[in-house]
Amino acid sequence: MTQITMAKFNELLGINESYKAPAKLMEILYDRPKREQLMRDFLEATNYEVDVDTFQRYFEEEHADRAGKKQDFTPSSVAKLTARLVGGGGSGFYEGCAGTGGMLIAAWHNDRTKHSPFDYKPSWYLYTVEELSDRAFPFLLFNIALRGMNAVVVHCDVLSRKAYGAFFVQNDYNDHMQFSSINRLPYNETVERELSVKFVEERYGELLETPGIPEHIIHGLTYGPDDMEPSELTQFIYKLCGVEAQ
């Protein structure tokens, strides 16, 4: 399993001290061209491994708050096993203390590999995750957008429901080879009610990369992946390879 090193990621961010990473990463997340260039460089540095959280070791060594927030991260092997045990069906996912996204990534990988790469559509799944840590939150957003997910990402305390911001990350092209856009949800009563939170601080500036919700996301979530039969293309390719389409 490839893990990004402290030196390499700091180099990609253009910083000389690791404590600057969360703020610098959030700054880059707000600049789409820079963000997507960073993602391409990051993928190359981690051998294009997306089935695990390649930030885990970096974040644990440099940013985890074990004393204050008791932060310890789920080993990737445990995350993968859990995803297989509980990810049997449905198109929704919720995690209350997501960290940098290890458990979420395992669930996402489990979901997408249920389907042929010729059929799989990101719109079939919507993920909802929450995280309190100021330091973990930018890494969580980055991990989600990097993998082309559709997700509601909330910076909040899962117990008190005090919140500092919320984002809707969406794959505009419904293409699993594309990065997702990032959109900050409004600080208003409607969002508070829908997410069951109370905004106590407007910590994040405006960010709207995609006005509205694409039709493929709305439509995709109305029927879900369990109703999809393998496409003719998938069946043809599987037949050529001598395997039976699932």
Side-chain angles (χ1 to χ4, degrees):
M1 178 180 69
T2 302
Q3 290 282 302
I4 193 76
T5 65
M6 176 188 69
K8 184 60 179 179
F9 190 59
N10 289 352
E11 176 190 333
L12 293 178
L13 288 179
I15 59 175
N16 53 15
E17 297 287 348
S18 293
Y19 77 87
K20 300 176 183 178
K24 183 63 176 181
L25 181 56
M26 182 57 75
E27 176 188 322
I28 293 174
L29 287 174
Y30 265 67
D31 186 325
R32 190 166 191 169
K34 288 184 179 179
R35 179 179 80 228
E36 295 191 348
Q37 183 58 55
L38 174 62
M39 289 176 174
R40 287 188 285 269
D41 294 340
F42 183 85
L43 287 170
E44 183 176 356
T46 55
N47 295 321
Y48 298 89
E49 289 190 32
V50 294
D51 60 323
V52 295
D53 178 12
T54 45
F55 276 128
Q56 182 173 325
R57 187 176 303 161
Y58 171 86
F59 192 86
E60 282 185 327
E61 292 176 354
E62 300 298 325
H63 300 289
D65 185 358
R66 287 190 170 93
K69 294 187 174 69
K70 310 301 180 185
Q71 284 181 320
D72 251 318
F73 290 78
T74 308
S76 60
S77 58
V78 176
K80 289 180 179 179
L81 176 62
T82 304
R84 291 178 181 177
L85 290 174
V86 302
S91 59
F93 172 93
Y94 169 78
E95 185 179 5
C97 299
T100 57
M103 191 73 76
L104 166 65
I105 291 168
W108 165 80
H109 182 64
N110 187 59
D111 288 338
R112 73 189 182 111
T113 52
K114 294 174 186 175
H115 313 281
S116 160
F118 305 105
D119 296 343
Y120 166 69
K121 299 295 183 184
S123 62
W124 291 347
Y125 297 94
L126 176 66
Y127 305 92
T128 302
V129 290
E130 300 175 343
E131 175 55 40
L132 175 60
S133 169
D134 295 339
R135 287 180 282 188
F137 194 75
F139 292 87
L140 177 61
L141 269 178
F142 181 89
N143 268 333
I144 292 170
L146 173 74
R147 290 164 174 81
M149 299 185 203
N150 295 300
V152 178
V153 191
V154 189
H155 189 178
C156 72
D157 185 318
V158 299
L159 299 178
S160 70
R161 309 308 296 164
K162 293 179 180 178
Y164 308 96
F167 294 81
F168 185 51
V169 182
Q170 64 186 31
N171 190 311
D172 295 336
Y173 305 100
N174 207 19
D175 180 349
H176 61 87
M177 298 297 289
Q178 297 284 342
F179 302 131
S180 294
S181 65
I182 301 177
N183 304 274
R184 197 216 70 199
L185 295 174
Y187 287 99
N188 59 34
E189 292 182 357
T190 300
V191 174
E192 287 182 327
R193 183 171 60 252
E194 291 296 322
L195 300 179
S196 299
V197 299
K198 178 64 178 178
F199 289 122
V200 294
E201 180 184 336
E202 296 186 10
R203 185 167 297 181
Y204 300 100
E206 183 176 350
L207 180 62
L208 181 62
E209 294 182 344
T210 311
I213 302 176
E215 183 63 27
H216 64 258
I217 293 180
I218 299 173
H219 179 65
L221 293 173
T222 60
Y223 54 82
D226 293 334
D227 297 326
M228 296 296 295
E229 294 293 331
S231 67
E232 292 183 2
L233 174 61
T234 293
Q235 294 183 49
F236 174 71
I237 293 174
Y238 282 8
K239 186 175 181 179
L240 287 178
C241 296
V243 298
E244 184 176 345
Q246 299 296 318

